[in-house]
Amino acid sequence: MPMPWFDIVWDDSFPHGNVAHLAENGVSTEDAEWVLMNAIAREKSRSSSRWIAFGRTADGRSLAVVYEMLDEITILPVTAFEIE
């Protein structure tokens, strides 16, 4: 099965950009992209109505990546964090 393809929007304007939000949780943009492209599961958050992708990074950590779909192929990651 082919991996999905997305255009991912990164905003590195500190301190309010999504790159900073990920870094606060010890997640790199590369790790978040890996999970977004190789998600094991996706679901909609009950609290925020944003999408969450769940998966493992290339080094094996389990992550949740919260994002918004801007259109059919454009994703705006909001934050990401390690899960157990």
Side-chain angles (χ1 to χ4, degrees):
M1 174 165 46
M3 291 188 315
W5 182 87
F6 297 109
D7 183 18
I8 301 174
V9 178
W10 293 113
D11 177 3
D12 60 358
S13 59
F14 190 80
H16 304 292
N18 57 3
V19 175
H21 281 244
L22 270 66
E24 288 172 4
N25 294 325
V27 178
S28 69
T29 56
E30 292 83 7
D31 287 338
E33 283 190 26
W34 179 263
V35 170
L36 288 167
M37 299 297 186
N38 300 282
I40 296 168
R42 295 177 194 276
E43 66 182 49
K44 210 150 199 195
S45 167
R46 289 179 292 226
S47 60
S48 71
S49 295
R50 290 181 171 138
W51 284 99
I52 306 172
F54 299 94
R56 294 198 178 273
T57 62
D59 66 1
R61 292 180 298 139
S62 293
L63 292 185
V65 181
V66 180
Y67 64 95
E68 293 179 14
M69 291 296 302
L70 302 180
D71 61 33
E72 290 183 7
I73 64 166
T74 308
I75 290 179
L76 175 66
V78 176
T79 192
F81 48 90
E82 198 163 342
I83 55 176
E84 294 192 24

